Amino acid sequence: MPTTQAAIRRAHRVLSADRHRFAADVLRGLLAEPKSLPCKYFYDARGSRLFDEICGLDEYYPTRTELAITGRYADDMADAIGERVALVEYGSGSSVKTRLLLDALSRPVAYIPVDISGEHLEAASRRLASDYPGIDVAPAAADFTKPFDLPELDRTPSRTVVYFPGSTIGNFEHAEAVALLSSTARVAGADGGLLVGFDLAKTPSVVHAAYNDRLGVTAEFNKNLLVRINRELEGDLPLECFEHVADYVVERGRVEIGLRCTEAIEASIAEERVAFVADEVIRTEYSHKYTEAAFGRLLHESGFELRQVWTDAKQWFAVAYAGVA
């Protein structure tokens, strides 16, 4: 078994510079014990399309529930955000909920979508720029979990508000969530704010079905990460040897998602050999479920002050507005 650092150095020599970071993260995760892969790499062009498909599934309640919350309370959210803002959206995707918010905002100066999938980002940004000619649409192809620079704007906004819809914040363990939200407070800056979606704890059967849909789209989305590794990192992972698993572990307050290897195999990735044992699970994602009180504590620990929360009638999902403390 190669050492992790030696494998990463060799990958740097055999791959182009733009794939080196991907290779380093993949090898670091697959040579660790237990194995894991960063969920941010789900979102290549195909992964982004599959996720859009997931959002329309009957079982997947978060997207339609948050969309309904945003549709009902968009004016209240806009009042909390204020006038002439620069809206920075993390993980912008197809920007469906964003349009509801932009329509409600008073004289927004700029919209800055931030997404790791550059192709998907550019397509969505072009559509928004065409539909909102009075707003400076300035996309940033970046990993928002790491430091990045906001693009220069044509006009100076009154303040910056980060929009973080979906339940992506739940993908991070506590320390990681605090680090991300703390950096978000720095992006927003003085008098800035955060509008963030988060999933609420609820009946386990509802949660389980959302991550194990009958059509298998979520499984395909999960396995697409292996497809991407084979395509971009010269891998030969046998896809038929991996199956999607997603279990709601109530005592930990999270869904634990992964890919189980069904038999002992050895595969090549970036010219490195990686061994897998039967029933070994590669952790690909967590999805934490919160109470409102717990999420408020998380925001406070990260440098924000919780100011308002909107939820649906079933108390399945929530959107919170917080100001930089």
Side-chain angles (χ1 to χ4, degrees), residues 106-123:
S106 176
R107 297 182 295 158
V109 167
Y111 171 62
I112 305 169
V114 183
D115 201 289
I116 197 170
S117 177
E119 180 182 343
H120 200 69
L121 174 68
E122 288 296 332

Side-chain angles (χ1 to χ4, degrees), residues 179-191:
L180 174 57
L181 291 173
S182 297
S183 71
T184 300
R186 292 189 290 272
V187 170
D191 195 40

